[in-house]
Amino acid sequence: MIRKFLSRPRRPAHGGPNADEPAVWREAADFIRLHRAEEPDLGAPEPRLAEIRDAIRTTGTYRHTTEELAFGARVAWRNSNRCIGRLYWRSLRVRDLRHLTDAEPIAAACAEHLRQATNDGRIRPLISVFAPDAADRPGPRIWNEQLIRYAGYRAADGRVVGDPRNAGLTDMALRIGWAGGPRTAFDVLPLIVEGVDDKPRAFELPDDAVLEVPLDHPDDAWSEEWGLRWHAVPAISGMCLEIGGIHYPAAPFNGWYMGTEIGARNLADTDRYNLLPRIARRLGLDTADDRSLWKDRALVELNRAVLHSFDRAGVTMADHHAESRRFVRHLEREEHKGRAVPADWSWIVPPMSAATTPVFHRTYDAAELRPAFAHHPEAAARARGESIRRMP
């Protein structure tokens, strides 16, 4: 939502926010105080708060400094209650691209983001922050939920070739001019970018921006027969970065994959690639009765294949056992500093071998802290290829 302020906020005598101030000012004050508390070398917050208050009174909004943007993006990762890989939140590299508002340069910058993040397989955590929503107009949007996603082509009989999750966005891309790929199960979708005061436009990602890993089992060359592969960089682009009352709806960011994200979800889920029956047949397993645990056995072998393939390709990937231990270390570090660690148990616990990991036998507070990467319903609708009317 874009906020408009029709009256001048009353300046409180003590210099801090109160209930009569606009929400953006209250959130800004909380953020600046947090920033200066964690980085005391920047000095007391009051002079900066006075600048922000004056900007909000004049324009309805304010602009973060480069240092504030970087701090806010890193803390948003630290606060992400669905992310198990937060131990390295301080390592996030921040590209300040707030001057970009048009679709074509944003698409080009996203391709460059992927090149830098891929880093010859040594994946780097990276975020690219484009223009924010303003008081008088919405900022740009990226319709894809990730910068790299595979197309899902609907067949006449209702089946989908590729990733069913992306069938709606594939339809949308074709409607606005994408010619489509060769109709394999792993055609990379174009980026669909909506610039300020513009309609959504499709941009194909350059080949050198997309590193893909052929997927083979340690004992079997699956990729040669099935063409299995997956992309190296999981760059989330459908979430809104919210810092101190300012919304950055186009702010793609990435870490690196944990193997189960691909092997136990993307490739295994029945509403995605649904590979377990095929793999079970390949392994000669009895699929007549679930009690044989054929799904479990096939799932383990699929995840072995993912880890083996990324290791062979020299591409950074975590496994769920190591990442669980790292998350516990993150918990201990943050608790030692007196900071809360919000976590959603259903996302933190890996989707296979859950009880064998140290994150399983714990309870967590799923509180949502700010700064944050927020899930907005309209972003989910865009990822399904549904038109959204943007209100000023």
Side-chain angles (χ1 to χ4, degrees):
M1 177 182 294
I2 309 303
R3 301 175 176 86
K4 288 188 176 180
F5 306 108
L6 304 180
S7 61
R8 291 164 63 91
R10 187 175 68 194
R11 182 191 298 264
H14 65 320
N18 65 23
D20 295 326
E21 299 280 8
V24 66
W25 161 244
R26 296 195 298 272
E27 293 184 39
D30 288 343
F31 169 66
I32 295 301
R33 293 184 187 283
L34 174 68
H35 186 198
R36 297 306 173 98
E38 294 197 18
E39 298 186 8
D41 290 346
L42 295 173
E46 284 74 20
R48 176 61 177 146
L49 289 174
E51 293 175 359
I52 291 172
R53 184 191 296 110
D54 289 342
I56 292 173
R57 292 173 64 194
T58 302
T59 68
T61 188
Y62 70 104
R63 181 178 174 84
H64 290 126
T65 66
T66 300
E67 293 76 17
E68 289 165 357
L69 182 70
F71 174 79
R74 290 169 184 144
V75 174
W77 184 12
R78 186 178 81 191
N79 288 339
S80 297
N81 63 12
R82 293 182 176 184
C83 179
I84 195 174
R86 286 176 268 169
L87 178 64
Y88 304 108
W89 64 273
R90 289 186 179 277
S91 69
L92 181 67
R93 298 174 64 234
V94 180
R95 300 173 73 213
D96 185 353
L97 302 174
R98 288 175 288 173
H99 61 287
L100 296 183
T101 60
D102 295 337
E104 187 168 354
I106 289 173
C110 287
E112 180 58 24
H113 175 117
L114 290 170
R115 295 185 189 98
Q116 292 187 26
T118 301
N119 190 34
D120 294 325
R122 299 183 299 278
I123 309 300
R124 292 188 287 210
L126 184 67
I127 184 169
S128 297
V129 185
F130 300 108
D133 285 339
D136 59 349
R137 56 111 183 105
R141 263 70 173 163
I142 300 170
W143 283 52
N144 314 58
E145 66 177 356
Q146 292 193 24
L147 293 184
I148 306 173
R149 275 302 202 196
Y150 293 118
Y153 302 103
R154 300 185 201 269
D157 61 3
R159 290 183 298 174
V160 174
V161 176
D163 193 342
R165 183 180 182 90
N166 303 318
L169 194 63
T170 302
D171 292 342
M172 167 71 175
L174 294 168
R175 284 197 305 271
I176 64 174
W178 182 48
R183 267 51 176 188
T184 74
F186 298 97
D187 290 359
V188 175
L189 273 170
L191 285 179
I192 298 179
V193 183
E194 186 174 359
V196 173
D197 300 323
D198 195 6
K199 295 180 179 179
R201 299 168 59 193
F203 300 89
E204 291 204 26
L205 286 166
D207 290 344
D208 70 337
V210 181
L211 176 62
E212 295 179 283
V213 177
L215 300 181
D216 290 309
H217 190 271
D219 307 318
D220 196 351
W222 289 352
S223 68
E224 293 181 7
E225 181 177 341
W226 294 342
L228 297 184
R229 59 184 182 271
W230 205 260
H231 55 90
V233 178
I236 306 297
S237 52
M239 298 179 72
C240 181
L241 173 61
E242 299 182 357
I243 304 173
I246 305 299
H247 290 187
Y248 299 95
F253 65 96
N254 72 274
W256 48 75
Y257 268 119
M258 185 166 73
T260 52
E261 294 178 83
I262 301 171
R265 299 302 308 275
N266 299 342
L267 295 177
D269 283 355
T270 56
D271 60 349
R272 299 290 298 283
Y273 281 85
N274 193 27
L275 287 183
L276 295 187
R278 182 191 292 186
I279 291 169
R281 290 192 295 270
R282 183 75 160 220
L283 297 173
L285 303 179
D286 178 10
T287 61
D289 188 349
D290 288 350
R291 197 172 178 84
S292 70
L293 301 185
W294 68 267
K295 293 180 181 178
D296 309 72
R297 295 168 67 186
L299 186 66
V300 168
E301 295 307 316
L302 177 53
N303 279 271
R304 283 186 66 205
V306 170
L307 292 171
H308 161 77
S309 300
F310 271 66
D311 287 347
R312 180 185 59 186
V315 174
T316 306
M317 169 171 279
D319 67 80
H320 52 293
H321 295 291
E323 208 60 63
S324 295
R325 292 192 296 271
R326 290 169 186 159
F327 184 71
V328 172
R329 195 186 321 161
H330 171 69
L331 282 172
E332 293 169 348
R333 285 185 181 180
E334 292 298 300
E335 290 170 357
H336 181 72
K337 294 180 179 294
R339 293 196 290 250
V341 181
D344 183 333
W345 190 95
S346 65
W347 281 77
I348 295 300
V349 174
M352 66 175 286
S353 307
T356 67
T357 65
V359 295
F360 177 84
H361 305 280
R362 290 172 174 261
T363 58
Y364 305 96
D365 182 354
E368 296 183 357
L369 305 180
R370 293 291 185 271
F373 291 106
H375 295 269
H376 290 177
E378 61 271 22
R382 280 190 292 270
R384 296 191 297 268
E386 300 171 6
S387 296
I388 300 297
R389 183 183 178 191
R390 296 202 293 170
M391 300 299 291

